């Protein structure tokens, strides 16, 4: 009897250690993939696919770790059930009741093993998804390029027939979803006052966010960060969002539907997912984001747009694409856009720009050179609430339809707009920081340092296979 108990105790300990090691390995592997895919953008061939892959990895990383955690819980249940079953089996000669109890425990264990097997299969698919790229997403963005005369001061022109359902809506209707076909929701793409620009960063936070904020602070400038709540499962990124908010920058939300397909969700499921993501951000900054930028999809997901509007969120687009994902010189892109508008309309106009908050996309030195370009051309950096003259740029809570302001909001004593010219020495220091960060990383002519993602995933799955084999052995 004591030998049996000792056997199951040791087995349980080994399995727990396997879960812990597997979690740590997965964390290192996914982060390594993200860094590599982010830096792959240095190549002309893979710039957009590298950025899209990083976004895709961020979306699935949390699911990977959540699946591992559920496997760990199931292992504990199996071990507990197994111990109970062995104990009841050893006394079955005494009472028939103990025998029945032992049979029930074994039955529960078999059920739990099936559950673990299913979770392992799902985990296998998730890990494959982590390494999958989405080529062409950014190349198809509907951005206003410098020199175009399609810019509208208040809202972008809707080219699609509002009475025609999109592909996403059509797919949803065939699945019995009650949501009707809805027209696209107009998005904010410019400021109310000429000569203003709201600089926005999407898809963060990331390892680059702190550097971006630091450079903005050097110039006493404010920006707008649309954060992806699915990336806030780590404490370090949650703290970055809090620090960014406390520095006076506006926090919005980037929202991405799972698998980029809302037709697979009912209206209630879609609503719940949106509110859950907003609530995660709310727990960090004590107010809920009001301004939202949807992750790009083709076709346009007008169903999610209208759900956002129904829940009280305000959609924000852009009329100046920095093209940082293509590693263009951002300051030149800004200058060209400003000058083109002035030449075409004989006016400054106003802008909402987009940049991506991801390692390998945003260089530290890009921020001060961009700020100086904005200053040279006579524009003023503002938060979105200043851009729109909105004293209430947040929601009271994720579920609430009431808008509120905070100590940094437009018309409050803590509101700030404008920027200072950045000294050349600061720019040189930022370039050195970029060079230091890029040392030893993968690039077009330096592939030997790239980790083998496929081998990493195979090793990870091998660990899980050994875990399941150990479980089967323990049950038998």
């Amino acid at each position: 009897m004591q030998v049996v108990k000792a056997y199951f105790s040791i087995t349980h300990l080994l399995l727990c250690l396997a879960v812990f090691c597997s979690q740590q390995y997965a964390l290192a592997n996914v982060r390594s993939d993200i860094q590599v895919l982010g830096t792959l953008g240095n190549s002309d061939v893979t710039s957009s696919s590298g950025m899209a892959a990083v976004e895709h990895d961020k979306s699935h990383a949390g699911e990977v770790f959540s699946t591992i955690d559920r496997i760990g819980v199931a292992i504990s249940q199996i071990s507990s059930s197994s111990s109970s079953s062995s104990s009841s089996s050893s006394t079955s000669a005494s009472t028939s009741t103990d025998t029945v109890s032992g049979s029930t425990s074994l039955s529960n264990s078999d059920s739990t093993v099936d559950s673990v097997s299913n979770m392992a299969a799902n985990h296998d698919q998730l890990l494959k998804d982590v390494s999958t790229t989405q080529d062409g997403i950014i190349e198809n963005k509907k951005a206003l390029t410098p020199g175009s005369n399609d810019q509208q001061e208040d809202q972008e022109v809707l080219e699609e027939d509002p009475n025609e359902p999109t592909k996403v809506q059509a797919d949803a209707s065939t699945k019995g979803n009650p949501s009707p076909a809805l027209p696209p929701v107009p998005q904010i793409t410019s400021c109310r006052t000429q000569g203003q620009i709201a600089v926005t960063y999407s898809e963060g936070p990331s390892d680059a966010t702190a550097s971006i904020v630091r450079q903005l602070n050097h110039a006493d400038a404010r920006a707008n960060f649309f954060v992806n709540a699915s990336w806030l499962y780590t404490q370090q990124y949650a703290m970055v969002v809090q620090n960014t908010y406390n520095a006076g920058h506006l926090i919005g939300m980037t929202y991405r539907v799972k698998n980029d397909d809302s037709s697979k969700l009912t209206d209630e499921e879609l609503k719940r997912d949106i509110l859950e993501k907003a609530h995660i951000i709310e727990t960090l900054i004590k107010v809920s984001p009001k301004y939202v930028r949807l992750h790009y999809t083709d076709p346009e997901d007008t169903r999610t747009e209208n759900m956002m509007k129904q829940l009280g969120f305000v959609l924000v687009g852009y009329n100046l694409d920095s093209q940082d994902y293509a590693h263009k010189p951002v300051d030149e892109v800004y200058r060209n856009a400003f000058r083109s508008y002035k030449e075409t309309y004989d006016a400054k106009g106003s802008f909402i720009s987009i940049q991506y908050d991801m390692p390998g996309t945003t260089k530290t030195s890009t921020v001060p050179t961009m700020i100086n370009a904005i200053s040279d051309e006579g524009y003023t950096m503002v938060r979105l609430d200043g851009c729109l003259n909105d004293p209430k740029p947040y929601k009271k809570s994720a579920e609430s339809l009431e808008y509120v302001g905070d100590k940094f909001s437009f018309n409050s004593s803590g509101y700030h707009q404008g920027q200072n010219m950045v000294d050349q020495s600061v720019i040189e220091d930022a370039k050195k920081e970029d060079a230091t960060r890029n040392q030893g990383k993968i690039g077009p002519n330096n592939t030997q340092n790239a980790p083998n993602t496929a081998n990493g995933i195979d090793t990870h799955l091998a660990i899980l296979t050994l875990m399941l084999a150990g479980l089967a052995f323990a049950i038998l």
Side-chain angles (χ1 to χ4, degrees), residues 50-71:
M51 192 200 71
V54 176
E55 297 173 4
H56 187 64
D57 282 356
K58 282 187 175 184
S59 174
H60 288 280
E63 299 178 44
V64 173
F65 301 131
S66 175
T67 303
I68 294 174
D69 290 338
R70 293 199 302 273
I71 291 176

Side-chain angles (χ1 to χ4, degrees), residues 12 31 74 97 100 116 118 164 196 240 254 263 267 285 323 340 350 352 379 395 407:
H12 184 222
R31 284 180 177 168
T97 301
V100 172
V116 172
N118 291 333
E164 287 294 325
Q196 291 185 340
V240 165
T254 292
S263 67
D267 285 350
I285 64 175
Q323 302 180 57
S340 175
S350 62
I352 295 177
Y379 288 82
K395 296 177 66 179
K407 62 182 179 181

Side-chain angles (χ1 to χ4, degrees), residues 28-275:
N29 190 46
V30 171
R31 284 180 177 168
S32 176
D33 289 347
I34 289 173
Q35 291 178 348
V36 171
L37 290 171
T39 54
L40 277 174
N42 292 323
S43 169
D44 293 337
V45 177
T46 57
S47 59
S48 60
S49 63
M51 192 200 71
V54 176
E55 297 173 4
H56 187 64
D57 282 356
K58 282 187 175 184
S59 174
H60 288 280
E63 299 178 44
V64 173
F65 301 131
S66 175
T67 303
I68 294 174
D69 290 338
R70 293 199 302 273
I71 291 176
V73 171
I75 288 172
S76 299
Q77 294 174 350
I78 289 176
S79 180
S80 175
S81 298
S82 300
S83 299
S84 174
S85 126
S86 64
S87 176
S88 61
S89 297
S90 65
T91 57
S92 61
S94 305
T95 64
S96 60
T97 301
D98 289 342
T99 302
V100 172
S101 175
S103 299
T104 301
S105 297
L106 286 172
S107 176
N108 291 337
S109 298
D110 291 340
S111 176
T112 310
V113 169
D114 291 338
S115 176
V116 172
S117 299
N118 291 333
M119 285 188 289
N122 292 334
H123 181 254
D124 184 6
Q125 183 60 44
L126 284 171
L127 285 170
K128 292 179 180 178
D129 289 343
V130 166
S131 63
T132 302
T133 61
Q134 298 178 353
D135 297 331
I137 291 293
I138 297 303
E139 294 178 359
N140 294 325
K141 277 184 172 292
K142 293 176 286 185
L144 178 65
T145 57
S148 172
N149 58 2
D150 293 334
Q151 185 189 41
Q152 300 296 317
E153 185 156 340
D154 293 321
Q155 295 175 345
E156 60 184 10
V157 175
L158 304 177
E159 298 179 355
E160 297 180 0
D161 184 350
N163 297 318
E164 287 294 325
T166 65
K167 180 179 182 298
V168 171
Q169 293 169 342
D171 289 345
S173 64
T174 62
K175 299 178 187 300
N177 197 294
S179 180
L182 296 169
V185 175
Q187 301 184 16
I188 297 168
T189 58
S190 61
C191 299
R192 291 182 177 273
T193 304
Q194 295 246 359
Q196 291 185 340
I197 177 170
V199 176
T200 69
Y201 291 89
S202 291
E203 302 290 351
S206 72
D207 292 342
T209 311
S211 294
I212 295 171
V213 173
R214 185 170 62 253
Q215 294 299 323
L216 290 168
N217 292 343
H218 280 319
D220 197 21
R222 303 292 183 269
N224 309 272
F225 292 81
F226 289 87
V227 301
N228 190 332
S230 63
W231 199 233
L232 297 177
Y233 69 94
T234 60
Q235 183 180 9
Q236 68 188 62
Y237 291 139
M239 291 180 64
V240 165
V241 170
Q242 288 180 321
N243 292 338
T244 302
Y245 171 78
N246 291 330
H249 304 282
L250 186 136
I251 302 298
M253 178 172 74
T254 292
Y255 179 73
R256 183 177 187 178
V257 179
K258 184 178 181 181
N259 298 322
D260 295 331
D261 186 1
S262 66
S263 67
K264 298 186 183 303
L265 302 177
T266 65
D267 285 350
E268 186 58 32
E269 288 172 337
L270 179 59
K271 175 181 177 180
R272 183 169 60 251
D273 188 57
I274 292 171
L275 293 179

Side-chain angles (χ1 to χ4, degrees), residues 18 46 76 116 136 213 246 258 309 315 365 394 412 429 434 473:
T46 57
S76 299
V116 172
V213 173
N246 291 330
K258 184 178 181 181
K309 180 180 178 181
L315 298 181
S365 58
Y394 293 101
S412 72
D429 289 341
D434 289 334
F473 180 76

Side-chain angles (χ1 to χ4, degrees), residues 254-422:
T254 292
Y255 179 73
R256 183 177 187 178
V257 179
K258 184 178 181 181
N259 298 322
D260 295 331
D261 186 1
S262 66
S263 67
K264 298 186 183 303
L265 302 177
T266 65
D267 285 350
E268 186 58 32
E269 288 172 337
L270 179 59
K271 175 181 177 180
R272 183 169 60 251
D273 188 57
I274 292 171
L275 293 179
E276 285 177 354
K277 296 296 193 299
H279 182 68
I280 290 173
I281 300 173
E282 178 189 342
T283 60
L284 298 177
I285 64 175
K286 309 308 179 186
V287 284
S288 170
K290 168 183 174 180
Y291 295 116
V292 174
R293 176 169 286 147
L294 295 182
H295 184 85
Y296 177 78
T297 59
D298 186 15
E300 183 178 357
D301 188 353
T302 59
R303 177 170 173 245
T304 300
E305 291 177 2
N306 280 272
M307 179 65 74
M308 285 287 182
K309 180 180 178 181
Q310 177 184 331
L311 295 174
F313 295 99
V314 177
L315 298 181
V316 178
Y318 56 91
N319 60 0
L320 198 168
D321 184 356
S322 70
Q323 302 180 57
D324 56 349
Y325 52 85
H327 296 275
K328 297 290 183 65
V330 173
D331 58 323
E332 292 184 14
V333 172
Y334 274 62
R335 291 180 193 275
N336 291 337
F338 296 150
R339 293 170 183 175
S340 175
Y341 192 95
K342 292 174 185 176
E343 292 173 0
T344 303
Y345 301 102
D346 195 26
K348 282 187 175 181
S350 62
F351 297 86
I352 295 177
S353 68
I354 184 172
Q355 294 178 211
Y356 290 90
D357 179 5
M358 284 182 280
T361 298
T362 298
K363 294 181 179 180
T364 302
S365 58
T366 294
V367 182
T369 56
M370 171 201 70
I371 293 173
N372 283 353
I374 292 172
S375 298
D376 289 342
E377 298 298 326
Y379 288 82
T380 302
M381 291 180 65
V382 295
R383 292 173 20 132
L384 274 170
D385 47 348
C387 169
L388 303 171
N389 297 340
D390 179 9
K392 298 180 179 180
Y394 293 101
K395 296 177 66 179
K396 186 175 183 179
S397 67
E399 297 80 5
S400 175
L401 295 179
E402 179 182 353
Y403 297 140
V404 297
D406 64 358
K407 62 182 179 181
F408 301 116
S409 298
F410 179 71
N411 278 348
S412 72
S413 59
Y415 175 77
H416 174 77
Q417 67 180 38
Q419 71 281 348
N420 300 326
M421 288 289 292
V422 181

